[in-house]
Amino acid sequence: MPITYDGSTQCFHLFNDRVSYIFRLAGGKYPIHVHWGRRVRRVRDELIERRTIWPEDAFSLNETALDFLPLECPTYTGDLREGMIHVIHASGMSPLLLAYESHEIVEDKPSLGGLPSARGEGAQSLLLTLRDEVSGVAVELCYTVYADTDVIARSARIVNGGSTDIVVNKALSACVDFEGCDYDFTTLCGAWARERRPYTRPLVPGDQGTSSARGASSVQTSPFMMLTSKGATETEGEAYGFALCYSGGFEASVHVDHHYISRAMIGIQPFNFSWKLAPGEAFQTPEAYLCYSCEGIGGMSRSFHRLVHSHITTGKYARAPRPLLINNWEATYFAFDEEKLLSLARRAVEADIDLFVLDDGWFGHRDDDHSSLGDWFDDTRKLPNGLAGLSEKIHALGLKFGLWVEPEMISPDSELYRAHPDWCIHVPGYPRIESRNQLVLDLSRDEVRDHVVGVITAALRRANVDYVKWDMNRFITMWGSADLPADRQQELGHRHILGVYDMMRRITAQFPDVLFESCAGGGGRFDLGMMCFMPQAWCTDDTDAWMRCQIQHGTSLVFPASCMGAHVSAVPNHQTGRSTPLRTRAAVAMNGTYGYELDLTKLPDEDIAEIRAFNKRVREMQPVLLYGDLYRLRSPIGGNEAAWMSVSPDKREAVVTHVFAQAIPNMKDGLMRLAGLDETLTYQDIDTGKTYGGDELMYYGIRVTKPWGDYMSQQWFLRAVKED
Ligand code: DGJ
C-alpha cells in the first residue's frame, strides 16, 4: 500500500521503503504540503505548524490564510505568491478557489493523452480532484509513487466544469513548498557545444529559476533544477531534483517568500502560452518528476537513471547493447559522394564497427545548409544509386545502415516551401526570421504532419534503415499559425510540440526494430520527453574529449550513459582545436552510446588496430557502461580531473574512468577512492590481472598515475573473482 489516506487526520501519504511524500487537507478543503524526504511512518498534528491546522487553529483563519499555507496547488487566489495555475473566466476575472472534492487511489498510472510520460508498472497513483464551486472549474492532480525508484511523478489536468469558456494562462505541473530556504539551488545552463553545466548558488528571498522560451528545452537551459542541503556532496546530504517530461518551452523556479518558505515549481513556460477550454474540455500538463535522495547528489542521479531505464525508455533498444557506429558528419560534412562513403564504410569494417550513419546532405540539392529541408528525395548527383543503392552496398559489407533526417524543418529554398509557403510557423506581415537558413514547419497542422510522416517513412523504407538520427537545428520565434484563429494563436507552442510527439509516435511505431537517436544542433533537446520516443540523444556537437567530460558530467545529473550519444572524433578537434590522445577520446566516449565521427581512411593501421581493441572492450562492458549505477568521483567542472565509474547492479563488474586535463610538473601519483562496490568481494583488473578487495578500493583507493602530457586518461575494468 504505497499510498494511504487517513480520514481522521485527512492525510495522504505516498511512500516507498526510503521516501515519504505527505500532504493533508487543511480544514477538509485545501491540500497543504507536510513532508517530502526520508521515509517516516507519519507526521503527528502537534508537529505540524499550528496555523496550517485549520479551522481549529487559534488564529481563526479564513481564506486569506491561503497566503500562509504550503499549498499543493496554488492559484493566485488568497495566496498572493507565485501560483501553479491561472485561469481567466468569461467574466474576465480570474479567481480559482480550489477545494477538495474527491480522491481515488489506483494501480499503475493514467496516460496523459498526446503527451509522453513515464510508464507506471508496479506503481500506485493518487488522483485528487479539487474544484472551484463557483465556476465549476476542476483541477485533477495526479501523484505516482514508485517502489523501485525514489521519484514521485506529478501532473495536473484542468477541466472546465462550468458553463462558459475559460482561458488557461498558466498550467504548471507541480509545486512543492519547503519550510525555510537553507538550500543551495542548481540549474543546468550552457550554449551550443557547451551544454548543461551545473551552476549552484544559495537560495535567497525572491525569485530564482531557469526557463526556455525557445520552443524547445534548448542548449541554453534544461528542464531540471535541484535543491540541496547545505554542504551536500556527491555522497552525503539531501538532494531534491525536479525534471520535466517535456520538450517545449518550460519554467523551473523557486520563490522564497517573506516567511522564507521556498516554493519550487516546474512546468510549461507561461510566456506565449494560453489555452481556451470550452465547457467540458480539459487541458493536461506534462509530467514532472520529483526525486529525493538522502545519499547526496549521486543518489539523486541514480534514482533518475533508474526511472529512465525502468519507466521512460522503451522499445527494442531500451535495455539492449547499442550498435557501435561511424557517422560521416565530421569526416565529410556536406562534401561526399557514394564512393567516399563506401571508402569510409570499408575502413569501418576493418575497424570492426557495426553501423554506418549517413548524416546531413543526401537529399534535394543540399551542398550546404542553405537549402532542401523538406525535399526528402535522394540527391542522385551524390548518390547515383539513391539511398537504396547505397544502403544495399553498405549492408553487403556487413554493416548496418543509418540515416540522418530533420523532419520538423523547411528551407525557403525547397520545392516544399515553393508549394506550401504557409506551412511554416510565421506571422503575416513580419519577416520570416531564419536561423541556420531554415524555418520551422507548423506541426500543429494535421496535413503538414501527414505529409512529413509520409515522406520520411518513405525515405526510411527506401534506405532500409537500421538506425535514424532525428535532428532539429533551430529554435522558434515569431510564433504564428496560418491555421489557428486569433484566440488560439497562443496555443501554438504547445500544439506544435504535441504535433512533434504525434509524428515521433507514428514514425517510430512503423519501425520497431530501428534504433532512433534524437538530436537538436547537438544537445538542444536533451529532455525526458524525447527519451520516451528515442532511447538515446546526441549529447552535444562538441566532440572534444575534455569538454565532453564536462558536458557528460552535467548531463549525468539526470540522464544515464545509455542516453548520451558520444563519439570519438579527429584531432585537432573541430570545435576547440585541441588535441587529445585517441585513448582518452575513446575512454570518454565509452561512457555514452559509443561511436566514431572522423575520417577513418586517414588513420594509420595502428590506430585502426587500437580502435578494434576499444570496440571489443566496449562490446564486452556495455551492459555495465550503459546500464550500471553511476558514481561521479571527480568533477571536471572548474577542476583539473574528471572521474566516474559504473557498477553493475549485482556489483560484480565495474568500469572506472579517470581523465586529467593539464599535466602539472612535480606531481605525485594520487589515490582515488572508488564507490558502489561490494566490500566483501575481490575484483580483478582484467587488463593487468591484479586483484584488489572491494573494501580496499573503496576505503583505501586505487593509484592514479601522474600524467605525462595533457589530457591523459586511465581506465580500470574490474570483475569480481571471489569473496574475500
Ligand atoms: C547538427 C547535429 O548536431 C550534427 O551532429 C549534424 O548532424 C548536423 N546537425 C547536420 O546538419
Side-chain angles (χ1 to χ4, degrees):
M1 278 289 281
I3 302 181
T4 57
Y5 175 64
D6 179 344
S8 64
T9 57
Q10 298 180 311
C11 240
F12 293 94
H13 188 173
L14 294 81
F15 59 88
N16 63 22
D17 291 344
R18 299 160 301 276
V19 174
S20 286
Y21 187 105
I22 300 176
F23 64 94
R24 53 179 289 154
L25 299 172
K29 288 178 168 180
Y30 304 113
I32 58 157
H33 189 73
V34 174
H35 172 69
W36 175 32
R38 276 185 94 133
R39 169 77 196 272
V40 293
R41 277 164 291 158
R42 71 169 83 118
V43 176
R44 287 171 214 269
D45 274 5
E46 49 267 43
L47 291 175
I48 298 178
E49 201 189 354
R50 275 189 61 68
R51 63 184 170 188
T52 65
I53 303 176
W54 186 356
E56 298 83 13
D57 181 76
F59 286 94
S60 71
L61 294 173
N62 53 39
E63 271 69 17
T64 59
L66 294 174
D67 201 30
F68 300 113
L69 297 183
L71 292 168
E72 286 284 302
C73 183
T75 55
Y76 298 94
T77 305
D79 181 348
L80 306 177
R81 298 162 293 176
E82 278 298 320
M84 183 175 139
I85 290 170
H86 186 228
V87 302
I88 300 188
H89 302 283
S91 64
M93 298 176 215
S94 59
L96 193 64
L97 191 58
L98 293 174
Y100 172 85
E101 181 177 86
S102 63
H103 75 270
E104 194 185 348
I105 294 168
V106 297
E107 298 306 316
D108 207 312
K109 74 201 254 301
S111 68
L112 305 188
L115 283 165
S117 59
R119 297 180 302 282
E121 309 100 335
Q124 215 173 55
S125 300
L126 167 67
L127 309 173
L128 179 73
T129 302
L130 311 173
R131 190 176 297 278
D132 174 304
E133 277 181 11
V134 180
S135 67
V137 174
V139 174
E140 297 167 3
L141 299 178
C142 179
Y143 298 77
T144 301
V145 58
Y146 289 95
D148 58 350
T149 184
D150 297 342
V151 167
I152 308 277
R154 278 193 63 175
S155 64
R157 189 163 170 268
I158 302 161
V159 186
N160 184 359
S163 54
T164 51
D165 289 356
I166 61 168
V167 175
V168 180
N169 260 345
K170 185 173 187 182
L172 301 186
S173 302
C175 169
V176 181
D177 279 5
F178 291 73
E179 278 211 44
C181 64
D182 211 12
Y183 296 95
D184 286 323
F185 178 56
T186 300
T187 50
L188 296 172
C189 299
W192 174 78
R194 47 184 170 82
E195 296 92 336
R196 291 177 293 287
R197 186 181 177 92
Y199 288 91
T200 300
R201 59 279 197 192
L203 280 183
V204 292
D207 298 341
Q208 42 250 292
T210 186
S211 65
S212 164
R214 294 166 188 270
S217 38
S218 88
V219 292
Q220 287 81 3
T221 58
S222 263
F224 165 78
M225 65 179 172
M226 174 174 75
L227 297 181
T228 41
S229 56
K230 292 290 176 187
T233 64
E234 278 293 328
T235 49
E236 279 169 14
E238 293 189 295
Y240 295 87
F242 295 74
L244 193 66
C245 192
Y246 193 59
S247 311
F250 72 91
E251 178 180 278
S253 59
V254 180
H255 310 267
V256 179
D257 75 8
H258 46 292
H259 289 119
Y260 306 107
I261 301 292
S262 302
R263 172 164 288 176
M265 296 194 289
I266 190 165
I268 294 181
Q269 234 248 346
F271 166 73
N272 248 350
F273 168 84
S274 75
W275 201 273
K276 191 169 154 185
L277 289 181
E281 288 182 345
F283 180 81
Q284 174 65 57
T285 74
E287 190 163 78
Y289 305 109
L290 281 51
C291 180
Y292 170 76
S293 160
C294 61
E295 292 172 357
I297 299 164
M300 177 203 73
S301 294
R302 287 186 289 281
S303 283
F304 272 131
H305 298 178
R306 265 192 293 281
L307 175 80
V308 170
H309 285 146
S310 304
H311 304 284
I312 296 267
T313 48
T314 180
K316 179 175 166 179
Y317 283 98
R319 290 303 296 260
R322 308 285 168 88
L324 312 190
L325 66 83
I326 169 89
N327 178 304
N328 75 308
W329 179 240
E330 287 197 14
T332 66
Y333 295 103
F334 295 100
F336 59 82
D337 58 19
E338 188 184 84
E339 188 35 46
K340 175 67 202 170
L341 299 177
L342 288 173
S343 67
L344 255 177
R346 284 190 287 268
R347 196 65 168 154
V349 173
E350 287 168 21
D352 191 24
I353 287 169
D354 302 319
L355 164 70
F356 179 90
V357 180
L358 172 56
D359 209 281
D360 197 353
W362 58 266
F363 52 93
H365 59 280
R366 191 159 164 94
D367 294 330
D368 56 34
D369 61 15
H370 281 77
S371 80
S372 304
L373 293 168
D375 294 347
W376 300 108
F377 43 82
D378 310 349
D379 181 353
T380 48
R381 296 170 311 152
K382 293 181 187 170
L383 306 175
N385 305 299
L387 282 176
L390 175 69
S391 165
E392 199 180 319
K393 289 179 186 157
I394 299 276
H395 280 125
L397 290 171
L399 293 169
K400 293 176 188 293
F401 183 64
L403 191 65
W404 177 99
V405 289
E406 191 174 1
E408 299 157 54
M409 298 292 154
I410 183 167
S411 302
D413 177 8
S414 66
E415 291 186 16
L416 185 67
Y417 189 78
R418 284 184 279 279
H420 299 287
D422 68 329
W423 273 17
C424 63
I425 290 177
H426 68 282
V427 183
Y430 284 83
R432 298 182 175 196
I433 297 178
E434 293 173 23
S435 170
R436 209 194 188 207
N437 313 300
Q438 63 199 54
L439 297 165
V440 184
L441 285 168
D442 177 358
L443 298 174
S444 70
R445 298 175 64 167
D446 294 346
E447 73 272 43
V448 178
R449 293 201 307 279
D450 290 348
H451 170 84
V452 176
V453 170
V455 289
I456 293 291
T457 52
L460 301 186
R461 284 218 168 79
R462 198 158 73 236
N464 191 14
V465 290
D466 304 290
Y467 161 103
V468 174
K469 178 176 174 186
W470 180 310
D471 206 347
M472 193 286 279
N473 277 297
R474 66 157 287 179
F475 299 124
I476 312 177
T477 179
M478 305 295 278
W479 287 98
S481 169
D483 206 34
L484 288 173
D487 62 352
R488 290 199 180 271
Q489 286 292 341
Q490 293 290 304
E491 298 178 8
L492 180 57
H494 186 61
R495 284 183 184 276
H496 176 77
I497 212 75
L498 289 176
V500 172
Y501 291 146
D502 174 61
M503 288 205 324
M504 288 189 167
R505 196 171 285 117
R506 286 159 69 184
I507 292 175
T508 54
Q510 291 186 45
F511 299 92
D513 291 331
V514 168
L515 171 62
F516 281 81
E517 172 159 353
S518 76
C519 174
R525 220 165 43 182
F526 213 105
D527 57 65
L528 291 165
M530 281 294 127
M531 297 305 165
C532 290
F533 297 96
M534 305 185 185
Q536 62 189 59
W538 184 224
C539 196
T540 168
D541 272 343
D542 199 331
T543 53
D544 170 74
W546 181 244
M547 278 305 298
R548 274 278 177 166
C549 286
Q550 301 174 46
I551 296 165
Q552 291 177 197
H553 176 98
T555 306
S556 76
L557 282 182
V558 182
F559 296 93
S562 67
C563 292
M564 291 187 223
H567 299 170
V568 175
S569 65
V571 287
N573 177 264
H574 292 198
Q575 293 77 41
T576 60
R578 184 158 34 223
S579 289
T580 53
L582 181 57
R583 179 166 291 280
T584 297
R585 281 173 274 154
V588 174
M590 278 183 205
N591 290 276
T593 58
Y594 189 75
Y596 298 87
E597 184 139 347
L598 75 175
D599 191 345
L600 291 173
T601 64
K602 294 192 176 137
L603 292 190
D605 287 345
E606 309 81 78
D607 284 1
I608 297 294
E610 226 184 323
I611 285 175
R612 288 181 71 86
F614 296 147
N615 294 348
K616 185 164 176 281
R617 184 49 59 81
V618 174
R619 283 195 187 94
E620 190 184 358
M621 301 307 281
Q622 248 197 1
V624 55
L625 282 165
L626 297 184
Y627 303 111
D629 288 330
L630 176 76
Y631 294 85
R632 289 175 293 259
L633 305 175
R634 302 267 158 99
S635 170
I637 308 297
N640 194 40
E641 291 171 66
W644 56 92
M645 63 185 289
S646 268
V647 183
S648 62
D650 64 4
K651 297 183 186 288
R652 301 194 67 84
E653 282 195 326
V655 179
V656 187
T657 305
H658 181 281
V659 182
F660 269 115
Q662 264 85 54
I664 297 169
N666 196 16
M667 280 175 92
K668 286 181 355 104
D669 290 352
L671 255 188
M672 179 168 72
R673 287 185 178 160
L674 305 189
L677 300 172
D678 182 334
E679 61 183 16
T680 66
L681 291 179
T682 298
Y683 294 87
Q684 184 168 45
D685 177 332
I686 62 177
D687 287 316
T688 64
K690 291 185 181 155
T691 55
Y692 310 96
D695 51 353
E696 207 177 346
L697 293 168
M698 291 194 290
Y699 311 140
Y700 180 73
I702 201 157
R703 257 315 139 195
V704 179
T705 314
K706 67 181 176 187
W708 182 248
D710 290 343
Y711 308 109
M712 302 307 282
S713 60
Q714 271 179 276
Q715 278 189 303
W716 296 265
F717 299 91
L718 303 172
R719 193 166 279 148
V721 280
K722 60 174 168 43
E723 311 271 313
D724 241 4

